[in-house]
Amino acid sequence: MELMSDVSLEFSRISMFPFFELAHYLVSLMTLREQAGAVEVAWRSPIACWFSAMLYCFGGALLSAVMLAEPPVLFLTNDVNIFMASATWFLVFYCPGDIVYQFFSFLPVRVVLAGMKEMTRTRKILAGVAHANSHFKDAWMVMIAVGWARGAGGGLISNFEQLVRGVWKPESNELLKMSYPVKVTLIGSVLFTLQHTQHLSITKHNLVFLYSIFLVFTKVVMMLTGSAVSPFAPFEAVLSLSLFHWQQVPQETTCDINTTSNGTSPTCKDLSENGDFSNHPTTSTNAECLETTRKRITAKAE
């Protein structure tokens, strides 16, 4: 235990700048480039592409600043980080011969970069929780929310980022269907909040070490196996079934119109062959469906 404590303490002292931050920018911008239509936007409108790239790289800082009523452009004051992210963006999208993207797309290299990026996620969550606590002392929900936003801001504002590129997909909202990074960041934010408020009996550096190892391990395994299934899927299924599926969801009855070759003999599911609607018990949904069928039959007859 003492050896683990010493290792975790030294691990927590590792500086994220500049190599781990650079890995974060590389992975984020390569993910952006692989989005549908991103390359076309880069050639058609470099300014829009650059702005989208900054949202990918600094989305957590931007979202957490908005949540704490700070200037949204605060992240732009760090000139060195902006320059590094901008230079990385240029090389990923516009490097002659596409050398940079091709090199870092090589699986072993990309796995290493992804592991380094996950280590930065831990530090961002920790920084978000501490920053929220400095504004709202021991406010659990604020600390969790800001830590979550700081660690997974790029995913949480993905709809806004897509809108910059001229894409509007509200059905892809992360709150409707969370991706694994967003889920694991939320869990990490809860853990670090509990530790910060002394409701979790573990030292900060040990929690940083264990959580980082978990992130890196699961990310590497998912990349090497090509799996997109969240490791939390079995637990999510059990919780969902036990907490949110007590009431049976009524299934709607479908009603289809089938027309014969001469176009004069429509038939409907759940109807008798002679078209008598009165002998069939219906729900309100089915009744509306039958009424629509009557109108369509009448229109055809006229």
Side-chain angles (χ1 to χ4, degrees):
M1 292 300 295
E2 291 182 0
L3 178 61
M4 177 183 170
S5 180
D6 293 339
V7 171
S8 61
L9 183 60
E10 293 299 323
F11 179 84
S12 64
R13 292 174 178 172
I14 297 176
S15 175
M16 295 292 103
F17 185 86
F19 299 110
F20 289 88
E21 284 293 336
L22 186 59
H24 165 68
Y25 300 149
L26 275 168
V27 174
S28 299
L29 294 172
M30 290 173 67
T31 302
L32 170 61
R33 174 176 167 143
E34 291 163 359
Q35 300 299 310
V39 175
E40 289 76 6
V41 172
W43 287 102
R44 186 174 65 250
S45 178
I47 296 299
C49 182
W50 178 85
F51 189 71
S52 181
M54 295 303 103
L55 291 178
Y56 256 82
C57 294
F58 303 103
L62 172 63
L63 184 57
S64 61
V66 171
M67 295 175 68
L68 294 175
E70 295 178 344
V73 295
L74 191 61
F75 71 95
L76 293 174
T77 60
N78 194 326
D79 298 333
V80 176
N81 283 5
I82 294 296
F83 175 78
M84 287 177 55
S86 299
T88 306
W89 160 76
F90 184 85
L91 292 174
V92 168
F93 280 90
Y94 304 103
C95 181
D98 212 15
I99 298 174
V100 172
Y101 177 76
Q102 295 296 334
F103 173 76
F104 288 109
S105 293
F106 185 49
L107 183 59
V109 177
R110 190 154 189 171
V111 167
V112 173
L113 289 176
M116 295 173 70
K117 173 181 168 61
E118 292 306 311
M119 291 176 63
T120 66
R121 188 188 304 278
T122 304
R123 305 302 178 88
K124 292 179 188 298
I125 297 171
L126 184 61
V129 170
H131 190 51
N133 185 66
S134 66
H135 284 69
F136 303 94
K137 187 67 174 178
D138 292 336
W140 285 35
M141 294 302 296
V142 177
M143 295 165 68
I144 292 173
V146 176
W148 188 26
R150 191 71 174 268
L156 292 172
I157 64 171
S158 58
N159 286 111
F160 179 63
E161 181 277 324
Q162 291 171 356
L163 192 59
V164 172
R165 293 187 284 114
V167 179
W168 176 239
K169 294 181 179 179
E171 69 278 2
S172 65
N173 191 321
E174 282 285 353
L175 296 180
L176 294 176
K177 189 176 181 180
M178 288 188 189
S179 61
Y180 169 70
V182 174
K183 292 177 184 177
V184 77
T185 303
L186 176 58
I187 293 173
S189 184
V190 172
L191 291 176
F192 281 107
T193 297
L194 292 176
Q195 192 281 328
H196 195 87
T197 55
Q198 299 181 352
H199 289 85
L200 188 62
S201 57
I202 184 174
T203 60
K204 183 181 296 184
H205 59 269
N206 281 337
L207 182 58
V208 168
F209 177 73
L210 294 175
Y211 182 73
S212 299
I213 294 300
F214 173 77
L215 288 183
V216 173
F217 176 77
T218 54
K219 184 65 175 182
V220 170
V221 170
M222 291 175 69
M223 292 183 68
L224 293 179
T225 59
S227 174
V229 180
S230 168
F232 305 124
F235 304 101
E236 293 173 8
V238 172
L239 288 175
S240 177
L241 185 63
S242 59
L243 296 178
F244 306 114
H245 286 84
W246 287 96
Q247 183 175 356
Q248 184 68 26
V249 179
Q251 297 183 354
E252 297 182 357
T253 304
T254 59
C255 184
D256 300 327
I257 297 296
N258 298 320
T259 306
T260 59
S261 58
N262 60 9
T264 59
S265 302
T267 60
C268 178
K269 291 181 182 179
D270 297 334
L271 293 179
S272 61
E273 294 181 357
N274 61 3
D276 185 6
F277 295 85
S278 60
N279 296 329
H280 295 267
T282 61
T283 62
S284 59
T285 302
N286 197 23
E288 294 175 0
C289 185
L290 298 179
E291 182 61 25
T292 303
T293 303
R294 283 198 188 95
K295 292 180 181 179
R296 294 178 65 176
I297 294 173
T298 304
K300 285 180 177 289
E302 292 177 352

